[in-house]
Amino acid sequence: MTMPKKEPFPCYSHNDETFQSDLSDTYSEIESESDIGDEITILVGMSEPKAHSDFVSIDDLIDGAQQRAYEYAPEHADDYLDDIDKEKRKELEKIVINWLNKNTEQPSFWGVGQTKVHLEGHWDGKEISPKQPCIECEDEYFEKELKFGLCPDCSDNRGEPEGGAL
């Protein structure tokens, strides 16, 4: 019952915790969780399909059995299962993963790889107003931080021109 390999797809988040495969779902979350004027960053990353092998740990299985044996007979279980070497552990893990692959569906959930900024700006209640470049230094700022197209550093460096106008 092995599933075909899932193709990666883009996924989006505004909080770097919950990712959606549909950008409109991320906007719905922003709308219900944000106030007008909030700074919003939408991240995008590619999905990473998961498989049984991502979650099966024979070491955990053996450690659990050793712990239960020790709780049952502490004076006699000190070396229980210690004779299973690394090669035998790998063999057992392969058997368990193959059994799972044949008898149950792969996980239907996915992880997210490295993310990058998709969009950054202020929430206006319906959309995100993106950052704008300063006309002098070209660094990006939120619109309300710019004064006549200049960032605070560039406008401070210009001083007051004659006549009081820039």
Side-chain angles (χ1 to χ4, degrees), residues 37-72:
D38 283 354
E39 291 181 16
I40 303 292
T41 301
I42 295 180
L43 302 171
V44 61
M46 293 304 286
S47 67
E48 293 181 339
K50 295 299 175 188
H52 298 306
S53 58
D54 294 318
F55 305 105
V56 172
S57 170
I58 293 307
D59 290 338
D60 288 348
L61 176 78
I62 292 170
D63 289 345
Q66 288 174 322
Q67 185 177 0
R68 286 187 295 282
Y70 183 79
E71 289 169 2
Y72 180 76

Side-chain angles (χ1 to χ4, degrees), residues 77-122:
D78 285 345
D79 59 352
Y80 178 63
L81 301 180
D82 282 349
D83 59 339
I84 303 175
D85 63 26
K86 189 175 182 177
E87 197 172 297
K88 295 284 186 191
R89 287 173 185 247
K90 283 184 180 183
E91 180 184 348
L92 179 58
E93 188 167 275
K94 186 176 179 182
I95 291 168
V96 171
I97 290 169
N98 284 337
W99 186 92
L100 287 169
N101 288 341
K102 288 179 186 175
N103 293 288
T104 187
E105 296 288 333
Q106 293 292 330
S108 60
F109 50 88
W110 35 268
V112 178
Q114 189 172 14
T115 61
K116 64 181 182 179
V117 173
H118 174 70
L119 181 62
E120 192 171 34
H122 281 110

Side-chain angles (χ1 to χ4, degrees), residues 8-45:
F9 53 87
C11 36
Y12 307 90
S13 175
H14 70 95
N15 59 16
D16 203 18
E17 292 176 12
T18 305
F19 284 83
Q20 306 288 338
S21 59
D22 189 341
L23 185 56
S24 64
D25 292 337
T26 302
Y27 270 90
S28 294
E29 284 184 356
I30 292 168
E31 188 172 17
S32 67
E33 298 172 9
S34 303
D35 295 322
I36 293 175
D38 283 354
E39 291 181 16
I40 303 292
T41 301
I42 295 180
L43 302 171
V44 61

Side-chain angles (χ1 to χ4, degrees), residues 106-155:
Q106 293 292 330
S108 60
F109 50 88
W110 35 268
V112 178
Q114 189 172 14
T115 61
K116 64 181 182 179
V117 173
H118 174 70
L119 181 62
E120 192 171 34
H122 281 110
W123 179 245
D124 70 6
K126 292 185 183 202
E127 295 182 17
I128 298 171
S129 303
K131 287 185 170 183
Q132 311 272 327
C134 169
I135 59 174
E136 194 162 299
C137 69
E138 297 185 7
D139 288 344
E140 292 196 345
Y141 290 86
F142 293 113
E143 188 176 352
K144 68 181 184 182
E145 297 172 308
L146 296 173
K147 183 176 183 181
F148 304 110
L150 295 171
C151 70
D153 289 338
C154 292
S155 63

